[in-house]
Amino acid sequence: MTTSELWQAVLGELELTLSKANFTTWFKNTFIVTFEGSEVTIGVPNLFTKAWLEKKYHKDIHSSLQTHTNSAVRHVHYRVETRQGTAGTVPEQTVVPVNIPTTAPEPVFAAAHNSNTGTYTSYTAPSASLPTSAPAQPFGEFSLNAKYTFNNFIVGKQNELAHAAAQAVTSQPGGVYNPLFIYGGVGLGKTHLLQAVGNETVRNNPGAKVLYVTSERFTNDFITAVRSGQGKEFKNRYRTVDVLLIDDIQFITGKEGTQEEFFHTFNQLHQTNKQIVISSDRPPQAILGLENRLISRLQCGMLADVGNPDFETRVAILDTKCREKCYPLAHDILHHVATLVSSNVRELEGALNKIIAFHQFKNVAPTIETVKPILSSFQPASSRKTITARQLIQTIATYFDLHIEDITGQSREKRYAFPRQIVMYLMREEMKSSYPSIGMELGGRDHTTAMHAYEKISGLVSDDEKLQHDLELIRQRLYAL
Ligand code: ADP
Ligand code: MG
């Protein structure tokens, strides 16, 4: 067996135990550099990967090497090295240990890994330096929300890759992984991470231009710009940023050349080493209607998935959120919630809000006994039945003592307009409807109306307890249908 065959065997084994994103990210472009005596040196493409393999996969790599060499491998080292030439032309070693002195240069990069914070610092790789002299100025109306930081992001197995990558691109924008593409189901922290990258970048570098937008906002801005002859302003706005954060790219449409514009924006930023971070509910190749050239651009950076948090992580998240809200809950209660609510972090937060609201309202201290009935109505999203737009509109109309026609009609009176916005918000949240289809269900309104409604209610919901309460009751009725 040659070293290359050995490594293939090891990779084959590792591949079975890792998610595809993890496997590709960490093991792409790795190979055995030398196998001398009982020591194997693995070549890796960069220091970030090196630190990660040492920290996370060393045991697996070592034991797999053992398996395939009859326990001949005692030590495994990792070294930043790129394979010279193409695969077949590299002279290969046989696994029978031979003493070939290594002539490979020492790594050019130097980085320190802080195992407490999980951060990597002091990379010396060439990177875009952010302007430091420019005065701090808020950029873009729909930009950053200070509440999402790395500090209040709980790291567990399911998101450690995305988290580490997000931190790496923050410490070295445009230099390590570009683009960074984070994907996974709803409520699993994608927006949180994108925002954290933005907030941290601005904190490190107050002059940095960071722009956070959803792909729908991008589409909309672009179409508006084209129609009003402000294409130049649009380009200026998007192509001059240091960090571009695009949330939910799966909603980007082919409308009036939006994808084309995105493609050019992407290229422009990428070529000038500006950092791009993108989120999606699925990997690039699974996004319907996305042009192939865009897919391959997105795939060329780092792909990191986020998954459902495991039990320990759920408890840790609940604990943190309780503290944030200054409403500590006993451990047995946290465990109970974490056991019942297992789908995603957003639902976890929802359950917590519900518990807090109930006990504050009744002015009693929470116990397992008082918490149980509150959660009894709680069903994980996966086991929920699907609801139709009609059912949703009917439920909300009834809740506000209105007729369906009041909601779908044209009156702008507040007592109609507000429930209507709640309908649009919940169609988005609960049914994952697109903005155009929400507009259509509501009497043929424009998709921008739906988008504004969604943004408005989303903005209100975190601080408005009455609204939280209304939404909770509406959801209960909806799923009790
Ligand atoms: P997504 O964009 O993936 O749908 P969000 O980023 O909006 O999800 O997360 C939903 C909620 O859960 C947010 O309030 C967010 O702060 C919180 N959240 C998600 N993951 C975590 C985490 N790992 N630690 C702390 N809060 C989290
Ligand atoms: Mg999101």
Side-chain angles (χ1 to χ4, degrees):
M1 181 155 62
T2 64
T3 48
S4 151
E5 283 161 354
L6 170 60
W7 192 235
Q8 282 314 314
V10 171
L11 291 182
E13 194 165 80
L14 290 169
E15 192 171 6
L16 298 177
T17 64
L18 296 172
S19 75
K20 188 151 189 300
N22 258 310
F23 180 77
T24 334
T25 303
W26 302 118
F27 293 96
K28 195 169 71 182
N29 298 326
T30 59
F31 57 101
I32 293 180
V33 186
T34 55
F35 187 162
E36 295 164 5
S38 58
E39 312 216 343
V40 170
T41 301
I42 315 286
V44 298
N46 53 51
L47 261 181
F48 188 60
T49 306
K50 175 173 184 286
W52 194 270
L53 293 188
E54 280 166 349
K55 193 170 124 209
K56 308 291 308 177
Y57 297 120
H58 177 72
K59 259 202 204 135
D60 297 336
I61 294 171
H62 189 201
S63 89
S64 181
L65 280 167
Q66 293 269 43
T67 312
H68 294 285
T69 59
N70 266 331
S71 302
V73 177
R74 220 165 311 138
H75 300 287
V76 184
H77 311 282
Y78 305 87
R79 185 160 75 198
V80 178
E81 192 156 319
T82 41
R83 212 193 294 248
Q84 286 150 6
T86 52
T89 65
V90 180
E92 276 191 359
Q93 278 179 266
T94 52
V95 169
V96 183
V98 280
N99 246 341
I100 304 175
T102 158
T103 54
E106 279 304 298
V108 200
F109 302 111
H113 174 239
N114 181 336
S115 55
N116 290 328
T117 60
T119 52
Y120 299 78
T121 47
S122 333
Y123 282 82
T124 56
S127 79
S129 51
L130 300 176
T132 44
S133 53
Q137 48 173 228
F139 188 80
E141 327 138 58
F142 303 100
S143 233
L144 299 172
N145 180 339
K147 81 172 187 185
Y148 298 116
T149 63
F150 283 120
N151 263 341
N152 62 12
F153 188 83
I154 309 298
V155 185
K157 274 208 167 358
Q158 80 292 344
N159 60 18
E160 60 185 350
L161 168 61
H163 172 258
Q167 284 201 322
V169 301
T170 308
S171 66
Q172 199 195 353
V176 212
Y177 293 114
N178 206 9
L180 168 59
F181 189 99
I182 298 175
Y183 69 91
V186 288
L188 296 177
K190 302 183 298 296
T191 298
H192 191 133
L193 280 176
L194 256 61
Q195 290 269 342
V197 168
N199 282 318
E200 183 75 9
T201 305
V202 173
R203 206 171 65 101
N204 294 342
N205 220 312
K209 272 189 179 179
V210 175
L211 182 56
Y212 165 91
V213 282
T214 61
S215 68
E216 284 150 315
R217 172 59 60 187
F218 181 91
T219 304
N220 210 50
D221 274 8
F222 178 65
I223 291 172
T224 311
V226 170
R227 289 189 186 153
S228 59
Q230 295 193 306
K232 216 167 135 202
E233 285 78 2
F234 178 89
K235 284 189 174 53
N236 257 338
R237 179 171 151 84
Y238 280 94
R239 296 192 190 182
T240 57
V241 298
D242 297 303
V243 177
L244 179 61
L245 308 162
I246 302 252
D247 209 355
D248 289 321
I249 191 88
Q250 74 272 12
F251 291 125
I252 199 158
T253 63
K255 238 187 194 170
E256 299 181 26
T258 309
Q259 282 200 30
E260 171 102 20
E261 180 60 26
F262 178 69
F263 184 73
H264 293 307
T265 306
F266 182 98
N267 285 345
Q268 169 79 25
L269 293 173
H270 196 258
Q271 275 159 19
T272 47
N273 289 334
K274 305 301 187 188
Q275 182 66 46
I276 303 159
V277 187
I278 295 168
S279 85
S280 165
D281 65 349
R282 64 201 87 168
Q285 68 276 16
I287 302 176
L288 284 177
L290 199 61
E291 293 171 15
N292 281 336
R293 57 179 184 168
L294 208 44
I295 293 176
S296 48
R297 280 288 188 286
L298 297 180
Q299 282 174 328
C300 74
M302 177 192 239
L303 299 182
D305 57 343
V306 288
N308 278 349
D310 57 19
F311 179 75
E312 275 73 32
T313 314
R314 295 203 293 278
V315 173
I317 289 173
L318 284 169
D319 197 28
T320 312
K321 301 278 172 192
C322 285
R323 284 168 209 274
E324 271 174 21
K325 295 174 204 288
C326 297
Y327 200 91
L329 288 173
H331 246 80
D332 57 338
I333 298 181
L334 296 183
H335 279 214
H336 184 67
V337 181
T339 308
L340 282 185
V341 186
S342 57
S343 48
N344 68 48
V345 183
R346 189 171 297 155
E347 304 241 318
L348 217 49
E349 262 192 301
L352 196 61
N353 287 337
K354 207 164 146 183
I355 293 169
I356 295 176
F358 176 87
H359 291 89
Q360 275 177 343
F361 183 67
K362 296 252 170 181
N363 202 12
V364 292
T367 63
I368 281 276
E369 295 320 309
T370 59
V371 164
K372 267 183 187 159
I374 300 176
L375 295 179
S376 65
S377 67
F378 197 93
Q379 292 170 288
S382 54
S383 69
R384 279 181 180 175
K385 55 175 174 265
T386 48
I387 38 177
T388 63
R390 190 80 188 169
Q391 284 171 329
L392 195 138
I393 296 171
Q394 178 67 69
T395 306
I396 293 170
T398 311
Y399 183 83
F400 287 102
D401 226 356
L402 300 172
H403 297 292
I404 286 192
E405 297 72 35
D406 298 332
I407 303 247
T408 54
Q410 296 306 316
S411 168
R412 293 180 181 212
E413 264 182 71
K414 182 150 195 269
R415 64 195 174 109
Y416 302 137
F418 191 63
R420 191 178 293 139
Q421 287 174 332
I422 290 188
V423 168
M424 297 193 256
Y425 172 79
L426 285 176
M427 281 181 75
R428 183 74 176 175
E429 285 279 309
E430 302 297 309
M431 301 167 55
K432 311 288 168 235
S433 307
S434 71
Y435 288 130
S437 70
I438 295 175
M440 227 151 66
E441 292 289 351
L442 283 157
R445 290 181 151 77
D446 193 67
H447 74 280
T448 53
T449 309
M451 192 150 94
H452 286 308
Y454 180 77
E455 282 173 359
K456 179 178 163 197
I457 302 292
S458 307
L460 290 176
V461 78
S462 56
D463 299 320
D464 186 337
E465 282 178 20
K466 163 93 173 58
L467 178 59
Q468 286 169 12
H469 188 66
D470 285 338
L471 291 175
E472 190 47 53
L473 289 177
I474 291 169
R475 283 190 171 105
Q476 278 179 23
R477 290 191 187 184
L478 211 49
Y479 292 108
L481 285 177

